[in-house]
Amino acid sequence: MIDKQQLNFQYKQSLEKNMICYLAQVKGLEMRAAMDGYYNSKLSKQIEQGIYGIENLDYKYLVEDLLENEPELFL
C-alpha cells in the first residue's frame, strides 16, 4: 500500500528540485545560489508546510511568484 505521507514528501522534493533548476536557469545562477535563495524564502516554508495548497501549483508559476515577491534573495 502506498503511504500518502511519503508520496507527498516525494512530490514536494520533486517540486523543489524543479523550482531550483528553473530558478538557476532563468536567473543565470549557480545551483548553490539558487538553492540558498529558495531555501531562505518564505515560499519554501509555505510549500514545506502545505499552506494554502500552494505546493499544487506549477513550478514555473511558483518561481515567477518567488522572483516577484522576494527579489532581494537573488540580487
Side-chain angles (χ1 to χ4, degrees):
M1 182 161 181
I2 297 175
D3 180 3
K4 185 177 179 181
Q5 214 172 12
Q6 182 64 25
L7 188 60
N8 281 336
F9 176 76
Q10 290 176 345
Y11 173 78
K12 286 180 185 178
Q13 277 190 322
S14 178
L15 175 66
E16 290 178 329
K17 180 190 78 123
N18 289 338
M19 289 178 65
I20 291 166
C21 289
Y22 185 63
L23 182 58
Q25 178 187 356
V26 298
K27 289 296 286 181
L29 300 170
E30 291 185 15
M31 291 297 286
R32 184 69 185 163
M35 286 175 65
D36 286 345
Y38 172 74
Y39 284 114
N40 285 303
S41 71
K42 295 174 189 169
L43 180 61
S44 73
K45 290 162 187 57
Q46 291 173 337
I47 289 171
E48 178 186 346
Q49 296 170 357
I51 296 175
Y52 310 118
I54 199 165
E55 72 277 5
N56 297 310
L57 296 173
D58 181 69
Y59 73 92
K60 289 181 180 180
Y61 172 80
L62 290 170
V63 167
E64 290 172 18
D65 181 74
L66 177 60
L67 293 173
E68 182 178 320
N69 292 300
E70 299 183 70
E72 67 279 0
L73 296 171
F74 306 101
L75 297 177

